Amino acid sequence: MTALQVAVVDAFGTSHRYVDAFAAVGCGVVHVRSTPELLPGVAAVDPARFSRTLVAGEDPDVLAERLALLQPRAVLPGRESGVELADALSERLGLPSSNGTALSAARRDKYLQIERLRAAGVPALRQVRTGDAAELRAWHTRLDGTAVVKPPRGALGHGVRFCDGPDDSAAALTALRGTRSAFGDRITEVVAQEYLVGAEYVVNTVSCEGVHTVTDVWSTDRVSANGVRDLVVAQVLLRHEDPVVDDLVRYGFQVLDALGVRFGAAHLEIKLTPDGPRLVEAGARPSGLPYHVADAIGEGQLEWAVDAYLRPRRFLARASVPYRRRVAAAWAALVSPVAGRLEGYRALDEVRSLESVREVSVLVRPGENITATTWDLEYPVVLSLRHPVEAVLRRDLNTVRYLDGAGMYEVSP
């Protein structure tokens, strides 16, 4: 077992690569699972990759005692489901890199984080949290515009509804109440927020001792499809010198300070509205999408997090240096408009042949059931694109949208 260790809570998906990032500096990773059973939509990871695996039980103090025996230098979350447990464990162990538990709920709950921004004087959207249809109707009537209704502790776009009127919001509440979120939590209330008009961006950061650095910023492409307004279909890596980045970063750092993020990775979804930047939601964990920033920038959140937790001097010495985009990069997803048994993709070979397409991940294969895409875990195919010339990449993204659609999918009922 490696003497130098950190613990990652729920090191699934993208955060599984923390193992490689920490191994590069001779550090092992203890995997702490927040639940005995895998959460919905989570693929298992190889336990042999970790120096040890611990599974949370009913008593967090017992888990903290077991983890303390392994003497981790830090405890950090790998995904949304691990944020609060990582905070609790790092605080119990008295680790200097802990964000503490005082604002844990606000870093996890979509309603509380907006209220925390408002209390800190950071511009924030209008919202309400309720399980009462009459209260929701009354709030939406006062809003006099479109509302977004979603689970308070959701993720991946699951359960998000766009509601043009009070009756739509009440219907969304009825549809969601009693169901389970993307992480298996039973939904008893919803958060209704004003629909922000403007372009949406992703700002990914890492913090050390309260000093923040931006690792990558992305613009978001959306479509209206399958009854979902603003379904994410692509994100494009921006140059740090892009004119919008300074405003996004300045606002994003205010958000991090308000939420008490002093250490570790964060993922901020921000809209640039006519009134300025406004937070859509924040996650105090690494971005979960396949950005492949190593090729485009050279390092990303995982590598910066290693410095934040193990080499703070190195982090602080270069935190103010802007990232440099070496090549244009993007990810994109196909959006199925049909449901049934998938027989095949009619134009996927054309997609593969596009000049900037580097990787094609087929998530729904011929012979399997396909559904109309309404959230992140229903994408049938995900693409990674990179090219030295951004215009070529943009052209290929437009071509993907042209090829995608009902004609792409051969299905039987």
Side-chain angles (χ1 to χ4, degrees), residues 192-405:
Q193 299 174 328
E194 64 173 309
Y195 174 71
L196 297 172
V197 177
E200 185 165 325
Y201 299 87
V202 167
V203 177
N204 290 324
T205 66
V206 177
S207 304
C208 177
E209 299 178 7
V211 175
H212 315 301
T213 193
V214 175
T215 59
D216 44 291
V217 180
W218 302 75
S219 63
T220 300
D221 292 346
R222 294 175 178 265
V223 298
S224 293
N226 302 325
V228 178
R229 192 180 310 178
D230 287 0
L231 181 64
V232 178
V233 293
Q235 289 178 323
V236 180
L237 177 64
L238 297 181
R239 292 183 177 89
H240 190 277
E241 58 269 29
D242 189 289
V244 303
V245 168
D246 282 347
D247 285 345
L248 292 169
V249 170
R250 190 179 303 111
Y251 178 81
F253 286 1
Q254 292 177 7
V255 170
L256 296 174
D257 289 339
L259 296 179
V261 177
R262 300 191 69 254
F263 283 90
H267 170 79
L268 310 177
E269 298 174 11
I270 301 171
K271 276 197 174 184
L272 274 184
T273 76
D275 297 321
R278 295 292 185 273
L279 182 71
V280 176
E281 58 184 52
R285 41 73 183 175
S287 171
L289 295 170
Y291 291 154
H292 303 286
V293 295
D295 287 348
I297 298 175
E299 60 184 345
Q301 283 183 300
L302 304 186
E303 292 78 15
W304 273 94
V306 170
D307 283 356
Y309 290 108
L310 300 183
R311 304 186 295 191
R313 279 190 183 178
R314 185 172 189 268
F315 180 102
L316 297 172
R318 62 196 190 100
S320 61
V321 178
Y323 72 84
R324 184 176 66 84
R325 195 186 77 175
R326 300 171 178 173
V327 297
W331 75 271
L334 300 191
V335 174
S336 167
V338 297
R341 177 185 170 86
L342 179 66
E343 302 297 335
Y345 295 97
R346 294 191 178 97
L348 193 55
D349 286 342
E350 291 182 61
V351 171
R352 284 193 176 97
S353 69
L354 294 173
E355 192 174 345
S356 66
V357 171
R358 294 292 178 267
E359 298 174 33
V360 177
S361 300
V362 179
L363 306 180
V364 180
R365 300 184 178 279
E368 298 176 342
N369 289 330
I370 192 170
T371 187
T373 306
T374 59
W375 65 300
D376 293 11
L377 293 188
E378 291 176 341
Y379 294 134
V381 177
V382 174
L383 315 171
S384 179
L385 303 90
R386 293 182 291 282
H387 198 276
V389 179
E390 183 167 334
V392 173
L393 182 139
R394 295 277 185 182
R395 178 204 65 196
D396 289 351
L397 285 173
N398 290 334
T399 304
V400 169
R401 296 276 70 84
Y402 171 76
L403 293 172
D404 196 16

Side-chain angles (χ1 to χ4, degrees), residues 128 132-144 166-167 169-170:
V128 68
D132 181 81
E135 181 183 12
L136 182 54
R137 279 194 180 93
W139 178 86
H140 197 154
T141 299
R142 294 191 299 272
L143 178 68
D144 192 26
D167 290 341
S169 290

Side-chain angles (χ1 to χ4, degrees), residues 27-179:
C27 179
V29 173
V30 176
H31 189 194
V32 179
R33 288 179 46 174
S34 66
T35 57
E37 303 297 328
L38 288 176
L39 293 169
V42 172
V45 295
D46 182 3
R49 298 257 292 152
F50 302 96
S51 58
R52 188 74 64 86
T53 296
L54 303 179
V55 181
E58 294 183 0
D59 190 339
D61 289 326
V62 172
L63 177 62
E65 290 173 3
R66 292 172 62 201
L67 183 57
L69 295 175
L70 302 177
Q71 298 181 319
R73 287 279 296 275
V75 182
L76 50 148
R79 66 198 304 267
E80 200 78 6
S81 57
V83 169
E84 289 165 306
L85 181 56
D87 287 345
L89 289 172
S90 61
E91 186 174 81
R92 277 178 167 86
L93 269 58
L95 297 173
S97 58
S98 176
N99 284 322
T101 57
L103 294 175
S104 277
R107 290 191 286 268
R108 178 69 183 88
D109 186 291
K110 309 309 178 189
Y111 174 79
L112 293 178
Q113 63 188 219
I114 297 297
E115 292 306 300
R116 174 61 192 162
L117 262 59
R118 202 184 323 279
V122 180
L125 52 73
R126 293 172 288 173
Q127 63 171 2
V128 68
R129 179 174 184 162
T130 183
D132 181 81
E135 181 183 12
L136 182 54
R137 279 194 180 93
W139 178 86
H140 197 154
T141 299
R142 294 191 299 272
L143 178 68
D144 192 26
T146 299
V148 181
V149 176
K150 58 187 179 183
R153 297 167 64 87
L156 304 170
H158 181 259
V160 176
R161 310 292 177 92
F162 296 85
C163 304
D164 290 321
D167 290 341
D168 299 327
S169 290
L173 168 60
T174 300
L176 287 171
R177 190 168 46 203
T179 65

